[in-house]
Amino acid sequence: MRIDGLAALVTGGGSGLGAATAAHLAALGCKVAVADINQAAAEARAATIGGIGIGCDVADAASGEVAFAAARKAHGPVRILVNCAGVGTAGRIVGRDGPLKLEAFERVIRVNLIGTFNMLRLAAAEMSDAEPLDEGERGVIVNTASIAAYEGQVGQPAYAASKGGVVGLTLPAARELARAGVRVVTIAPGLFHTPMVDGLPPEVQASLGAGIPFPARLGRPSEYAELVEHIVRNRFLNGEVIRLDGALRMPPR
């Protein structure tokens, strides 16, 4: 799919992978709507790239509908959705204080999995009604999973389960939406330099990077954004989950 001039919506676009993706798509000529639970962060990022910022709770049906309506009003039908919104709350199944609070598990599932599906379903409906482009393509949806979906570590039951759900959602969504000319692809990042990592001491960050086979460093958000670009451009990429991890395989702990 061509990129220049298309309308894109990026969730979690106020920081990290989402912010880098929003900026990259804007630089390629996209009309970008930046959605984030932190409306101030969304508006700040949008101001730097010439887009619009929208406060959005991806796990809330009404909030998602408002975000798409705002993006559509500003830029026309969304043709590219990139789901980057997510949380990474850790917690053992049985910790020092007993079993993991069900509310804590539920929150991660709600944001990472239900939130992804909420925005995907809204994008799919909007794209399906849009005019077809080259080869009948109407839109592209890029979701974000994690290598934790495959190698979840101790303390990651909620996160790994939520991202495993995103992986499992990819193929059936792509198969169903194929008739409308809408592609669905998921990226499963490894360890990236994001705000969650920024809070760690420099020596810990260096240690994490050194454990990656090659290149022996943390991933750069720009590298995630570049893969999004390739997915959008390459029409034969569909129904796939792509690991972006420098050949890292996570140990149990």
Side-chain angles (χ1 to χ4, degrees):
M1 177 184 281
R2 63 177 177 81
I3 290 181
D4 184 41
L6 293 183
L9 175 63
V10 181
T11 74
S15 64
L17 301 179
T21 300
H24 190 69
L25 291 176
L28 294 170
C30 275
K31 298 174 288 186
V32 181
V34 180
D36 201 286
I37 189 72
N38 184 336
Q39 184 169 346
E43 291 175 347
R45 169 52 63 175
T48 67
I49 64 173
I52 63 166
I54 307 167
C56 178
D57 177 356
V58 296
D60 181 81
S63 185
E65 290 169 4
V66 168
F68 272 93
R72 184 168 58 251
K73 181 178 180 181
H75 300 145
V78 170
R79 297 286 193 167
I80 301 167
L81 170 68
V82 186
N83 274 317
C84 290
V87 294
T89 308
R92 290 173 177 254
I93 297 170
V94 181
R96 293 177 180 176
D97 299 325
L100 181 68
K101 296 293 184 183
L102 191 57
E103 295 82 3
F105 185 90
E106 184 179 32
R107 176 176 177 267
V108 176
I109 297 295
R110 182 162 184 77
V111 175
N112 293 357
L113 178 54
I114 295 177
T116 294
F117 178 76
N118 182 38
M119 302 305 280
L120 178 149
R121 72 185 181 94
L122 295 172
E126 183 158 312
M127 292 173 184
S128 296
D129 287 338
E131 289 297 316
L133 303 174
D134 294 345
E135 293 192 34
E137 190 170 21
R138 287 184 169 87
V140 181
I141 298 169
V142 181
N143 296 323
T144 305
S146 166
I147 61 172
Y150 305 100
E151 299 120 31
Q153 296 181 295
V154 171
Q156 289 186 332
Y159 186 72
S162 70
K163 295 303 188 178
V166 174
V167 168
L169 172 63
T170 305
L171 184 57
R175 285 173 163 171
E176 177 181 338
L177 299 177
R179 58 183 172 79
V182 176
R183 293 187 289 116
V184 182
V185 178
T186 293
I187 300 174
L191 296 177
F192 271 69
H193 200 283
T194 63
M196 283 190 289
V197 173
D198 283 340
L200 299 174
E203 60 273 17
V204 175
Q205 294 186 32
S207 175
L208 289 172
I212 298 173
F214 186 82
R217 58 166 173 79
L218 296 174
R220 297 168 182 149
S222 61
E223 291 167 325
Y224 175 96
E226 288 164 2
L227 181 53
V228 170
E229 176 191 351
H230 181 72
I231 290 169
V232 173
R233 291 189 187 279
N234 191 328
R235 293 194 186 98
F236 213 60
L237 270 176
N238 195 15
E240 185 58 87
V241 181
I242 304 171
R243 292 182 67 124
L244 187 64
D245 59 16
L248 175 66
R249 298 297 180 267
M250 298 288 281
R253 289 179 176 81

